[in-house]
Amino acid sequence: MFRLKEHQQACYVSIPRNEHNISRKDISENALKVLYRLNKQGYEAFLVGGCIRDLLLGKTPKDFDIATNATPEQVQTSFRNCRLVGRRFRLAHVMFGKEIIEVATFRGEHDDQKSQTNISKRSQSGMLLRDNVYGTIEQDAMRRDFTINALYYDVKDFTLRDYCQGLQDLKKGIIRLIGDPQTRYREDPVRMLRTIRFAAKLNMKIETATAEPIKALAPLLKNIPPARLFDESLKLLQTGYGYKTYFLLREFHLFEQIFPNIGRFFTPNNTSNFERIIEQVLKNTDYRITNNQRVNPAFLFAVFLWYPLIEQTQLTCMESGLQFYDSFSMTINDLLSEQCRILAIPRRLTTTMGDIWRLQLRMKKREGKRAFAIIEHPKFRAAFDLLEMRASIEKGELLNLTKWWDEFQYAPIEKRIVMVKQLNKANRRRVKR
Ligand code: ATP
Ligand code: MG
């Protein structure tokens, strides 16, 4: 079976234009501009990674990445519209309005003797803290994550270069890490999440050796900066394959690493409210993305964490003797700060999450002017969507409450006044009794 060792020199198979389906008309004009200019200045430059993989699969690429032998600084002098980003992994971004063409200099092998220098550095768990050793295209291919992501397209003669038998894996539908899986996951634990993401997105099988170390190494995700994990979590859950990805994340014990407060409540048959609401929101999210509707990560995370919030609130009530509402507010803060230590959910999103949660309590009290104020709240629609999901899971009183709000929000003002009067009357009767 194919498995090149880290130090082995890769040689490549060249696939001529008439043997692959990649046409220049499917490539972003801006990416072509960057390739042409770098070539013209005497540098090697190739399209690489997800764009080639997706074009070969007949899919539309999300973005176009370029690999070159020019250093980031040389790329910057070639393009006025260029900025350098990244510390762990220095890159050049060439900006064309909204489109960013990412240009990476060929990565080389790590020399661990140099590990204390600024160029390459590893942590105790084997994680690469800096990865700025430059090298040849052959070395670059070996530093990439999966065989299917190490295919290079040369715009000079329209050939494809396959260094790691990626084409064969692509045809067979196999996700295979390049090199020794343990080492590659230790170098960058996010690769475990990428294995799952591509398996779900591309509907491919994970090769046995690539799958094998994940469960044991899953805790290494703790060492990843929360901002990077947040970005990765959106790619996992909000790009149209969230439902499938969620089950794979669970299977490989990765989900509980990013959402420890939910992982605690998993049941063998997926029957808890926690699990049912996650499945439902992910199905809805995938559906919305497929139909080009907007999705909001604040809503997704608010749904994910709703039942843990209630559970923890009840615990705090029992332990501290606080009233439910006070304990609820306190738990919101605790839960969010705990979650943000792992995933850096930006403040504008946590504020929305708090609003959606608080509205769940407020929506129970509709008398007087309250209902009129609630539907004016900017997050009412999202809060109502969560209420509806909870009702479909919990049934009972929540179904009536959801029905009432559904009617109220679309009713003309006269009807709304009548609805609230009826509520007030019913309430007075209840109080008298
Ligand atoms: P998509 O953009 O569709 O999510 P992609 O494969 O293009 O998928 P990017 O994150 O854009 O993913 O990365 C571009 C390429 O860089 C990858 O195809 C891969 O070759 C390489 N790469 C990205 N992340 C890593 C990593 N953590 N380790 C090794 N190589 C990586
Ligand atoms: Mg990409």
Side-chain angles (χ1 to χ4, degrees), residues 48-51 53-54 62-63 65 88 102 143-145 149-150 184 188 190-191 194 197-198 201 228 235:
V48 66
C51 57
R53 179 197 68 217
D54 291 349
K62 213 175 72 203
D63 44 36
D65 299 320
R88 193 183 67 90
E102 198 165 276
R143 302 293 319 148
R144 293 194 174 261
D145 45 9
N149 284 348
R184 301 306 310 280
D188 182 4
V190 168
R191 289 178 186 143
R194 290 175 62 87
R197 178 154 72 86
F198 293 126
K201 171 178 159 172
R228 186 167 177 223
K235 290 189 201 163

Side-chain angles (χ1 to χ4, degrees), residues 211-243:
E212 202 274 325
I214 299 184
K215 284 184 194 165
L217 297 181
L220 292 180
L221 285 175
K222 286 195 181 66
N223 305 331
I224 303 298
R228 186 167 177 223
L229 269 194
F230 172 73
D231 290 345
E232 212 51 47
S233 73
L234 294 188
K235 290 189 201 163
L236 287 162
L237 301 169
Q238 276 209 321
T239 51
Y241 309 90
Y243 184 72

Side-chain angles (χ1 to χ4, degrees), residues 103-129:
V103 186
T105 307
F106 296 147
R107 255 48 191 185
E109 283 169 34
H110 304 284
D111 176 356
D112 280 330
Q113 255 102 61
K114 283 189 200 157
S115 65
Q116 293 314 312
T117 72
N118 204 30
I119 320 172
S120 157
K121 204 172 172 189
R122 277 177 205 265
S123 75
Q124 276 199 323
S125 66
M127 191 160 85
L128 279 171
L129 301 176

Side-chain angles (χ1 to χ4, degrees), residues 404-422:
W404 191 93
W405 278 109
D406 194 23
E407 222 177 303
F408 187 77
Q409 63 183 302
Y410 296 114
I413 182 73
E414 307 78 33
K415 171 97 193 282
R416 284 183 186 167
I417 295 170
V418 174
M419 285 177 79
V420 170
K421 270 189 184 157
Q422 280 170 346

